[in-house]
Amino acid sequence: MKQPFRSISRYLILYFLLTILTNQVVVGQCPNTIPNRLDYGTGNMSITYLDGCLPLTIKVRNTLAGATNTLTLYDYKDGPLVPDSLKKDSVHTFKRPGTYTIVQLSEKEGRKLMSCQRVVVIDTLAPKARLIACPDGKVKLVLDPNQPTEYQTYWVDWGDGNIRELQEFQRNTSHQYTIPRSYTVKIWGVHRFRSCKGSTLVLKYDPQTPSTKPKIKELHTTSATSADLLFENPLGTELVLMRRAPEGAFVSTGLVSRKMNDQVKALIDSTTSVCFRIQATDTCLAETYRSDLACTPLLKLTGSPDHNQLVWKTFIPTGGNATIEVLKDGSVWKNVTSLGGEGQLIDQELTCGTSHCYQLRQSGTTGIVTSPIRCGKTPPGFCTSNSPLFIPAAFSPNNDGINDFFEIKGEVPPNYSISVFNQWGNLIFQSTDQAKSWDGKYRDTILPSGTYAYIIVLKDTSGKDYRRTGTVMLLK
C-alpha cells in the first residue's frame, strides 16, 4: 500500500510545481462586480509573471483548447467591462506599481468564457540614506526608517571596489577607506522573489563635508523641576538626551528616542541653569551627530515698594543669532536683546490689586528656550504712593462757584492728611478728611494772593508714610 501512495504523492507534487511554474489559471476567480458574471463559462489562461518589479512585462495566453475570439482587459477596476478596454494583444507592460486584475474573454462552441487573475507590480524607487563621517576615519551609511519602497535586501557599492549586502533588518553599516578622499557611493535595493534590482541612490562622500545633525528646537521650563524638549532627528537614528553636570561633564538622562520628531520631559532645577544636548548612542556618530547646547534661562523677580525688578541670565551659543524678550502676563513686553545674556529691568507699569507674571524667551537659529514663569503681586506701597491723585496748581476763593477750594481729587486712601503752610512756614490749614478742603482762609480770614506750600501724607497698610509736596497759587 505504501508504493501507490508514494507514486500519487510524486504526481501531486509534480502537478503543483508545474502549476506554479507556468502560473496556469485552472479555475478563474473573477470579481463579483462584473455584471452577469455567472452567464460566462470558466476559461483558462496562463501568465508569465503574477508578480514582479516595475516595469513589468507579462505575456498572457489562452490555454483552453478550441477557444476563439480571445480579448484581454489588463486593468479591471469595477463595473461593466468596457469594450474599448479589451485588447487582442497578448503582451502588456505595467508602468505603475499596484495590484491589477486581468480579465480574459473568449468563446468555445458558442458559449462565452471568462477567466481572471491578479498581478502584483512592485515599485523600484531608490532608497533614502545618508552618509556620516566618523572621527576614526570610518564612514557610516544610515538608511532612513521610512523608505519609499521596502526591499528584502540592500546593496552598497562604496566606490573603492568594495560592495556589501545589507539584510532587511539592517539599517546601517560602516566602512573604512584606506585612502582619505572623496568617493561616489551607490545604494540600491533588491526584491528577492524576482531578484529584481531597484533604482540606485548616488551619494557623494567627502570627509571634509560637515554632516547633518539633530536639533533641540524648543526647551520650555514648565515647572520648578521639569522642562519639555522638542527636537528633530533627521537621520532617525537612536538618540539619547544628555545633561551637563555641575563639573562640566555630560551624563545620560536615560531618555532615548528613534523618532525623527519627538518631545520628552526632563528633570531640572529652576534655581540654576541646566544645559542639554542630544546625540547618537552609536559611538561612531556620538562625536559628530549631536545637537547644539540648549540651556534653561534664569529669571529672578524682586518686588519693591514702587516697582518690580527683573534680573536674568541666559546662555547664548557662540555665533548664535538670538533675540531675547521679556513676556509680561503672557504677551511680549520688552525686547532686551541689546542688554545681552545678563541684564536687569525695572517695571513700574504695575496694576494695583493684581499679580504680574514674567518669563524670559530666547529665540534664534539654534531654537527657542524659555525661563520659569515668575509671578508677584503688586506691592501695597506702590498702590499707596502712586495713587492717581489730582492736585490743582491754583485756586480762586472768590465765591463764583468755580475753583473756590484747594480740593484734592482722585483715589485718596483712608489714611490721608494734608497740611498747608505760608511763606514763613507756619501751619495755616490741616485736614485728614478728603471732603474738607482749604477755602483760602486762616482763622476765617481770606489770605492774600500768593504761593503756599503743602504736604500730603499717604499711609500704606503697613503704616509706612509716603509724602507728596508742592505749592499752590492762591488767586483773587
Side-chain angles (χ1 to χ4, degrees), residues 296-353:
T296 56
L298 295 179
L299 181 65
K300 182 180 180 181
L301 169 64
T302 304
S304 297
D306 60 348
H307 66 267
N308 282 336
Q309 183 182 40
L310 300 168
V311 179
W312 70 85
K313 182 178 182 181
T314 183
F315 168 76
I316 301 178
T318 303
N321 182 18
T323 298
I324 306 174
E325 297 169 313
V326 176
L327 280 65
K328 180 179 177 181
D329 299 330
S331 301
V332 175
W333 176 53
K334 300 283 185 182
N335 187 317
V336 295
T337 305
S338 60
L339 300 180
E342 295 187 47
Q344 59 181 351
L345 196 63
I346 299 296
D347 182 15
Q348 293 181 310
E349 303 170 12
L350 308 178
T351 302
C352 294

Short mmCIF file of all heavy atoms in Angstrom, two decimals, residues 296-353:
data_model
loop_
_atom_site.label_atom_id
_atom_site.label_comp_id
_atom_site.label_asym_id
_atom_site.label_seq_id
_atom_site.Cartn_x
_atom_site.Cartn_y
_atom_site.Cartn_z
N THR A 296 18.47 76.13 30.08
CA THR A 296 17.32 76.83 30.65
C THR A 296 17.77 78.20 31.16
O THR A 296 18.74 78.30 31.92
CB THR A 296 16.71 76.03 31.80
OG1 THR A 296 17.72 75.76 32.80
CG2 THR A 296 16.15 74.72 31.31
N PRO A 297 17.08 79.30 30.79
CA PRO A 297 17.45 80.63 31.30
C PRO A 297 17.03 80.78 32.77
O PRO A 297 16.13 80.09 33.25
CB PRO A 297 16.64 81.58 30.40
CG PRO A 297 16.11 80.75 29.27
CD PRO A 297 16.00 79.36 29.80
N LEU A 298 17.69 81.69 33.44
CA LEU A 298 17.35 82.02 34.82
C LEU A 298 16.67 83.39 34.84
O LEU A 298 17.08 84.32 34.14
CB LEU A 298 18.60 82.07 35.69
CG LEU A 298 19.35 80.74 35.89
CD1 LEU A 298 20.58 80.95 36.76
CD2 LEU A 298 18.44 79.69 36.51
N LEU A 299 15.63 83.52 35.65
CA LEU A 299 14.91 84.78 35.80
C LEU A 299 14.53 84.95 37.26
O LEU A 299 13.91 84.05 37.85
CB LEU A 299 13.66 84.81 34.93
CG LEU A 299 12.83 86.09 34.98
CD1 LEU A 299 13.62 87.26 34.41
CD2 LEU A 299 11.52 85.91 34.22
N LYS A 300 14.92 86.08 37.83
CA LYS A 300 14.62 86.37 39.23
C LYS A 300 13.74 87.60 39.31
O LYS A 300 14.01 88.61 38.65
CB LYS A 300 15.92 86.58 40.03
CG LYS A 300 15.71 86.84 41.51
CD LYS A 300 17.04 87.04 42.23
CE LYS A 300 16.82 87.31 43.72
NZ LYS A 300 18.12 87.53 44.42
N LEU A 301 12.69 87.53 40.13
CA LEU A 301 11.77 88.66 40.32
C LEU A 301 11.84 89.12 41.76
O LEU A 301 11.71 88.32 42.70
CB LEU A 301 10.34 88.21 39.98
CG LEU A 301 9.21 89.17 40.36
CD1 LEU A 301 9.33 90.48 39.58
CD2 LEU A 301 7.85 88.53 40.11
N THR A 302 12.07 90.43 41.95
CA THR A 302 12.11 91.03 43.28
C THR A 302 11.13 92.19 43.31
O THR A 302 11.21 93.10 42.48
CB THR A 302 13.51 91.52 43.64
OG1 THR A 302 14.43 90.43 43.53
CG2 THR A 302 13.55 92.06 45.05
N GLY A 303 10.22 92.17 44.28
CA GLY A 303 9.25 93.26 44.42
C GLY A 303 9.76 94.34 45.35
O GLY A 303 10.30 94.06 46.42
N SER A 304 9.63 95.61 44.95
CA SER A 304 9.98 96.77 45.77
C SER A 304 8.71 97.60 45.99
O SER A 304 7.69 97.37 45.32
CB SER A 304 11.05 97.61 45.06
OG SER A 304 12.24 96.85 44.91
N PRO A 305 8.76 98.57 46.91
CA PRO A 305 7.55 99.35 47.18
C PRO A 305 6.95 100.03 45.97
O PRO A 305 5.73 100.18 45.88
CB PRO A 305 8.03 100.38 48.21
CG PRO A 305 9.17 99.72 48.90
CD PRO A 305 9.85 98.91 47.84
N ASP A 306 7.80 100.45 45.02
CA ASP A 306 7.25 101.20 43.88
C ASP A 306 7.58 100.57 42.53
O ASP A 306 7.36 101.18 41.49
CB ASP A 306 7.76 102.64 43.91
CG ASP A 306 9.28 102.72 43.84
OD1 ASP A 306 9.92 101.66 44.00
OD2 ASP A 306 9.80 103.82 43.62
N HIS A 307 8.10 99.30 42.50
CA HIS A 307 8.40 98.67 41.22
C HIS A 307 8.72 97.18 41.41
O HIS A 307 8.89 96.72 42.55
CB HIS A 307 9.60 99.36 40.54
CG HIS A 307 10.89 99.19 41.28
ND1 HIS A 307 11.33 100.09 42.21
CD2 HIS A 307 11.83 98.20 41.24
CE1 HIS A 307 12.48 99.69 42.71
NE2 HIS A 307 12.81 98.55 42.14
N ASN A 308 8.78 96.47 40.30
CA ASN A 308 9.28 95.10 40.26
C ASN A 308 10.61 95.09 39.54
O ASN A 308 10.76 95.76 38.51
CB ASN A 308 8.30 94.16 39.54
CG ASN A 308 7.12 93.77 40.41
OD1 ASN A 308 7.21 93.81 41.64
ND2 ASN A 308 6.02 93.39 39.77
N GLN A 309 11.57 94.35 40.06
CA GLN A 309 12.88 94.25 39.43
C GLN A 309 13.08 92.84 38.88
O GLN A 309 12.84 91.85 39.55
CB GLN A 309 13.99 94.57 40.42
CG GLN A 309 15.39 94.54 39.78
CD GLN A 309 16.49 94.81 40.78
OE1 GLN A 309 16.43 94.32 41.90
NE2 GLN A 309 17.49 95.57 40.38
N LEU A 310 13.51 92.78 37.62
CA LEU A 310 13.78 91.51 36.95
C LEU A 310 15.27 91.41 36.67
O LEU A 310 15.87 92.35 36.13
CB LEU A 310 13.00 91.40 35.64
CG LEU A 310 11.48 91.48 35.74
CD1 LEU A 310 10.87 91.65 34.37
CD2 LEU A 310 10.92 90.24 36.42
N VAL A 311 15.86 90.27 37.01
CA VAL A 311 17.27 90.00 36.73
C VAL A 311 17.34 88.66 36.01
O VAL A 311 16.73 87.68 36.47
CB VAL A 311 18.11 89.96 38.03
CG1 VAL A 311 19.58 89.66 37.69
CG2 VAL A 311 18.00 91.27 38.78
N TRP A 312 18.05 88.60 34.88
CA TRP A 312 18.11 87.36 34.12
C TRP A 312 19.53 86.99 33.72
O TRP A 312 20.44 87.84 33.69
CB TRP A 312 17.24 87.46 32.87
CG TRP A 312 17.76 88.40 31.81
CD1 TRP A 312 18.67 88.15 30.83
CD2 TRP A 312 17.40 89.77 31.68
NE1 TRP A 312 18.90 89.26 30.08
CE2 TRP A 312 18.12 90.29 30.58
CE3 TRP A 312 16.52 90.62 32.37
CZ2 TRP A 312 18.00 91.60 30.17
CZ3 TRP A 312 16.40 91.93 31.94
CH2 TRP A 312 17.13 92.39 30.86
N LYS A 313 19.68 85.71 33.39
CA LYS A 313 20.93 85.20 32.85
C LYS A 313 20.58 84.07 31.91
O LYS A 313 19.87 83.14 32.28
CB LYS A 313 21.84 84.70 33.97
CG LYS A 313 23.20 84.19 33.48
CD LYS A 313 24.08 83.76 34.64
CE LYS A 313 25.45 83.30 34.15
NZ LYS A 313 26.32 82.86 35.27
N THR A 314 21.08 84.15 30.67
CA THR A 314 20.78 83.13 29.68
C THR A 314 22.01 82.84 28.85
O THR A 314 22.88 83.71 28.67
CB THR A 314 19.61 83.55 28.76
OG1 THR A 314 19.32 82.50 27.85
CG2 THR A 314 19.95 84.80 27.98
N PHE A 315 22.10 81.60 28.35
CA PHE A 315 23.25 81.16 27.56
C PHE A 315 22.99 81.44 26.09
O PHE A 315 21.97 81.02 25.53
CB PHE A 315 23.50 79.67 27.78
CG PHE A 315 24.48 79.06 26.81
CD1 PHE A 315 25.84 79.27 26.95
CD2 PHE A 315 24.03 78.27 25.75
CE1 PHE A 315 26.74 78.71 26.06
CE2 PHE A 315 24.92 77.71 24.86
CZ PHE A 315 26.28 77.93 25.01
N ILE A 316 23.90 82.17 25.44
CA ILE A 316 23.81 82.44 24.01
C ILE A 316 24.94 81.66 23.33
O ILE A 316 26.12 81.92 23.59
CB ILE A 316 23.94 83.94 23.70
CG1 ILE A 316 22.83 84.72 24.42
CG2 ILE A 316 23.88 84.20 22.20
CD1 ILE A 316 22.92 86.21 24.22
N PRO A 317 24.62 80.68 22.45
CA PRO A 317 25.67 79.89 21.79
C PRO A 317 26.62 80.78 20.99
O PRO A 317 26.23 81.83 20.47
CB PRO A 317 24.89 78.95 20.88
CG PRO A 317 23.51 78.91 21.45
CD PRO A 317 23.28 80.27 22.05
N THR A 318 27.86 80.35 20.90
CA THR A 318 28.86 81.09 20.13
C THR A 318 28.42 81.17 18.67
O THR A 318 28.11 80.16 18.04
CB THR A 318 30.23 80.40 20.22
OG1 THR A 318 30.61 80.30 21.60
CG2 THR A 318 31.27 81.20 19.47
N GLY A 319 28.38 82.38 18.16
CA GLY A 319 27.95 82.57 16.77
C GLY A 319 26.46 82.50 16.57
O GLY A 319 25.97 82.63 15.45
N GLY A 320 25.70 82.31 17.67
CA GLY A 320 24.25 82.21 17.56
C GLY A 320 23.61 83.59 17.39
O GLY A 320 24.10 84.58 17.94
N ASN A 321 22.55 83.63 16.64
CA ASN A 321 21.80 84.86 16.42
C ASN A 321 20.53 84.77 17.24
O ASN A 321 19.57 84.10 16.84
CB ASN A 321 21.49 85.05 14.94
CG ASN A 321 20.75 86.34 14.66
OD1 ASN A 321 20.76 87.25 15.49
ND2 ASN A 321 20.10 86.41 13.52
N ALA A 322 20.50 85.43 18.41
CA ALA A 322 19.40 85.25 19.35
C ALA A 322 18.66 86.56 19.60
O ALA A 322 19.26 87.63 19.65
CB ALA A 322 19.91 84.69 20.67
N THR A 323 17.36 86.44 19.77
CA THR A 323 16.50 87.54 20.18
C THR A 323 16.00 87.23 21.59
O THR A 323 15.48 86.14 21.84
CB THR A 323 15.31 87.72 19.24
OG1 THR A 323 15.78 88.03 17.93
CG2 THR A 323 14.40 88.84 19.71
N ILE A 324 16.18 88.18 22.51
CA ILE A 324 15.79 87.96 23.91
C ILE A 324 14.63 88.91 24.23
O ILE A 324 14.74 90.12 24.03
CB ILE A 324 16.97 88.21 24.87
CG1 ILE A 324 18.18 87.36 24.46
CG2 ILE A 324 16.57 87.90 26.30
CD1 ILE A 324 19.43 87.66 25.26
N GLU A 325 13.54 88.31 24.72
CA GLU A 325 12.35 89.10 25.04
C GLU A 325 11.86 88.76 26.43
O GLU A 325 12.02 87.63 26.90
CB GLU A 325 11.23 88.81 24.03
CG GLU A 325 11.58 89.20 22.60
CD GLU A 325 10.58 88.66 21.61
OE1 GLU A 325 10.23 87.46 21.71
OE2 GLU A 325 10.16 89.43 20.73
N VAL A 326 11.25 89.76 27.09
CA VAL A 326 10.60 89.55 28.37
C VAL A 326 9.09 89.56 28.12
O VAL A 326 8.56 90.51 27.54
CB VAL A 326 10.97 90.62 29.40
CG1 VAL A 326 10.18 90.42 30.69
CG2 VAL A 326 12.47 90.57 29.69
N LEU A 327 8.44 88.47 28.52
CA LEU A 327 6.99 88.39 28.41
C LEU A 327 6.36 88.79 29.73
O LEU A 327 6.84 88.40 30.81
CB LEU A 327 6.55 86.97 28.05
CG LEU A 327 6.66 86.55 26.58
CD1 LEU A 327 8.11 86.49 26.13
CD2 LEU A 327 5.99 85.20 26.36
N LYS A 328 5.31 89.58 29.65
CA LYS A 328 4.59 90.01 30.84
C LYS A 328 3.12 89.62 30.68
O LYS A 328 2.48 89.99 29.70
CB LYS A 328 4.72 91.53 31.03
CG LYS A 328 3.99 92.07 32.26
CD LYS A 328 4.19 93.57 32.37
CE LYS A 328 3.42 94.15 33.53
NZ LYS A 328 3.59 95.62 33.64
N ASP A 329 2.65 88.81 31.60
CA ASP A 329 1.26 88.35 31.58
C ASP A 329 0.91 87.68 30.25
O ASP A 329 -0.17 87.88 29.69
CB ASP A 329 0.30 89.51 31.86
CG ASP A 329 0.54 90.14 33.23
OD1 ASP A 329 0.97 89.40 34.13
OD2 ASP A 329 0.32 91.35 33.39
N GLY A 330 1.88 86.90 29.70
CA GLY A 330 1.64 86.10 28.52
C GLY A 330 1.89 86.77 27.20
O GLY A 330 1.80 86.13 26.15
N SER A 331 2.23 88.06 27.20
CA SER A 331 2.49 88.79 25.95
C SER A 331 3.88 89.41 25.98
O SER A 331 4.43 89.69 27.06
CB SER A 331 1.44 89.89 25.73
OG SER A 331 0.14 89.34 25.68
N VAL A 332 4.44 89.61 24.79
CA VAL A 332 5.77 90.23 24.72
C VAL A 332 5.68 91.65 25.26
O VAL A 332 4.86 92.46 24.82
CB VAL A 332 6.27 90.25 23.26
CG1 VAL A 332 7.61 91.00 23.18
CG2 VAL A 332 6.44 88.83 22.73
N TRP A 333 6.55 91.95 26.22
CA TRP A 333 6.53 93.25 26.88
C TRP A 333 7.74 94.10 26.46
O TRP A 333 7.60 95.23 26.04
CB TRP A 333 6.50 93.06 28.41
CG TRP A 333 6.58 94.32 29.20
CD1 TRP A 333 5.78 95.41 29.07
CD2 TRP A 333 7.49 94.60 30.27
NE1 TRP A 333 6.14 96.37 29.98
CE2 TRP A 333 7.20 95.89 30.74
CE3 TRP A 333 8.53 93.89 30.86
CZ2 TRP A 333 7.90 96.49 31.77
CZ3 TRP A 333 9.23 94.47 31.89
CH2 TRP A 333 8.91 95.76 32.34
N LYS A 334 8.93 93.53 26.56
CA LYS A 334 10.15 94.27 26.24
C LYS A 334 11.10 93.38 25.43
O LYS A 334 11.27 92.21 25.73
CB LYS A 334 10.88 94.73 27.50
CG LYS A 334 10.08 95.66 28.41
CD LYS A 334 10.02 97.08 27.86
CE LYS A 334 9.33 98.00 28.87
NZ LYS A 334 9.20 99.39 28.34
N ASN A 335 11.73 93.97 24.41
CA ASN A 335 12.82 93.32 23.69
C ASN A 335 14.11 93.78 24.35
O ASN A 335 14.45 94.97 24.30
CB ASN A 335 12.80 93.70 22.21
CG ASN A 335 13.83 92.91 21.40
OD1 ASN A 335 14.97 92.73 21.82
ND2 ASN A 335 13.43 92.46 20.22
N VAL A 336 14.82 92.85 24.98
CA VAL A 336 16.02 93.20 25.75
C VAL A 336 17.27 92.61 25.10
O VAL A 336 18.28 92.40 25.78
CB VAL A 336 15.88 92.73 27.21
CG1 VAL A 336 14.76 93.49 27.91
CG2 VAL A 336 15.62 91.22 27.27
N THR A 337 17.21 92.35 23.80
CA THR A 337 18.35 91.75 23.11
C THR A 337 19.60 92.60 23.29
O THR A 337 20.71 92.06 23.47
CB THR A 337 18.04 91.59 21.61
OG1 THR A 337 16.82 90.85 21.46
CG2 THR A 337 19.16 90.87 20.89
N SER A 338 19.45 93.92 23.25
CA SER A 338 20.61 94.81 23.34
C SER A 338 21.28 94.74 24.71
O SER A 338 22.46 95.11 24.84
CB SER A 338 20.18 96.26 23.06
OG SER A 338 19.21 96.68 23.99
N LEU A 339 20.58 94.24 25.73
CA LEU A 339 21.16 94.13 27.07
C LEU A 339 22.00 92.87 27.23
O LEU A 339 22.72 92.74 28.22
CB LEU A 339 20.06 94.17 28.12
CG LEU A 339 19.19 95.44 28.13
CD1 LEU A 339 18.12 95.35 29.22
CD2 LEU A 339 20.05 96.68 28.34
N GLY A 340 21.88 91.92 26.28
CA GLY A 340 22.73 90.74 26.31
C GLY A 340 22.18 89.62 27.17
O GLY A 340 21.04 89.65 27.65
N GLY A 341 23.03 88.60 27.35
CA GLY A 341 22.62 87.40 28.08
C GLY A 341 22.44 87.60 29.56
O GLY A 341 21.80 86.80 30.23
N GLU A 342 23.00 88.68 30.13
CA GLU A 342 22.82 89.01 31.55
C GLU A 342 22.36 90.45 31.64
O GLU A 342 22.96 91.35 31.05
CB GLU A 342 24.12 88.81 32.33
CG GLU A 342 24.60 87.37 32.40
CD GLU A 342 25.80 87.21 33.33
OE1 GLU A 342 25.75 87.75 34.45
OE2 GLU A 342 26.78 86.57 32.91
N GLY A 343 21.29 90.68 32.38
CA GLY A 343 20.79 92.05 32.49
C GLY A 343 19.70 92.15 33.53
O GLY A 343 19.33 91.18 34.19
N GLN A 344 19.20 93.37 33.69
CA GLN A 344 18.12 93.61 34.63
C GLN A 344 17.19 94.69 34.08
O GLN A 344 17.57 95.48 33.22
CB GLN A 344 18.64 94.01 36.00
CG GLN A 344 19.50 95.25 36.02
CD GLN A 344 20.00 95.57 37.41
OE1 GLN A 344 19.60 94.96 38.39
NE2 GLN A 344 20.90 96.55 37.51
N LEU A 345 15.96 94.70 34.61
CA LEU A 345 14.93 95.59 34.10
C LEU A 345 14.03 95.98 35.25
O LEU A 345 13.74 95.16 36.14
CB LEU A 345 14.13 94.87 33.01
CG LEU A 345 13.25 95.69 32.08
CD1 LEU A 345 14.08 96.66 31.24
CD2 LEU A 345 12.46 94.77 31.16
N ILE A 346 13.59 97.24 35.25
CA ILE A 346 12.66 97.75 36.25
C ILE A 346 11.29 97.90 35.62
O ILE A 346 11.15 98.48 34.54
CB ILE A 346 13.14 99.11 36.82
CG1 ILE A 346 14.51 98.95 37.50
CG2 ILE A 346 12.11 99.67 37.80
CD1 ILE A 346 14.51 98.04 38.70
N ASP A 347 10.27 97.39 36.30
CA ASP A 347 8.90 97.53 35.82
C ASP A 347 8.10 98.37 36.82
O ASP A 347 7.84 97.94 37.95
CB ASP A 347 8.25 96.15 35.66
CG ASP A 347 6.82 96.26 35.12
OD1 ASP A 347 6.45 97.34 34.63
OD2 ASP A 347 6.09 95.25 35.20
N GLN A 348 7.73 99.57 36.38
CA GLN A 348 6.87 100.43 37.19
C GLN A 348 5.46 100.51 36.60
O GLN A 348 4.62 101.24 37.12
CB GLN A 348 7.47 101.83 37.27
CG GLN A 348 8.79 101.89 38.06
CD GLN A 348 9.36 103.28 38.15
OE1 GLN A 348 9.47 103.96 37.14
NE2 GLN A 348 9.69 103.71 39.37
N GLU A 349 5.22 99.71 35.54
CA GLU A 349 3.90 99.70 34.91
C GLU A 349 3.06 98.61 35.57
O GLU A 349 2.75 97.59 34.98
CB GLU A 349 4.03 99.46 33.41
CG GLU A 349 4.92 100.49 32.72
CD GLU A 349 5.23 100.09 31.28
OE1 GLU A 349 4.60 99.14 30.77
OE2 GLU A 349 6.12 100.70 30.69
N LEU A 350 2.72 98.85 36.85
CA LEU A 350 2.01 97.85 37.63
C LEU A 350 0.55 98.24 37.82
O LEU A 350 0.18 99.41 37.69
CB LEU A 350 2.68 97.69 39.00
CG LEU A 350 4.20 97.41 38.97
CD1 LEU A 350 4.75 97.31 40.38
CD2 LEU A 350 4.49 96.14 38.19
N THR A 351 -0.25 97.23 38.10
CA THR A 351 -1.68 97.44 38.34
C THR A 351 -2.01 97.04 39.76
O THR A 351 -1.68 95.93 40.19
CB THR A 351 -2.53 96.61 37.37
OG1 THR A 351 -2.18 96.96 36.02
CG2 THR A 351 -4.02 96.88 37.58
N CYS A 352 -2.64 97.95 40.48
CA CYS A 352 -2.94 97.69 41.89
C CYS A 352 -3.91 96.52 42.04
O CYS A 352 -4.82 96.34 41.24
CB CYS A 352 -3.54 98.93 42.54
SG CYS A 352 -2.38 100.32 42.63
N GLY A 353 -3.66 95.71 43.08
CA GLY A 353 -4.56 94.62 43.40
C GLY A 353 -4.43 93.39 42.54
O GLY A 353 -5.26 92.48 42.64
#
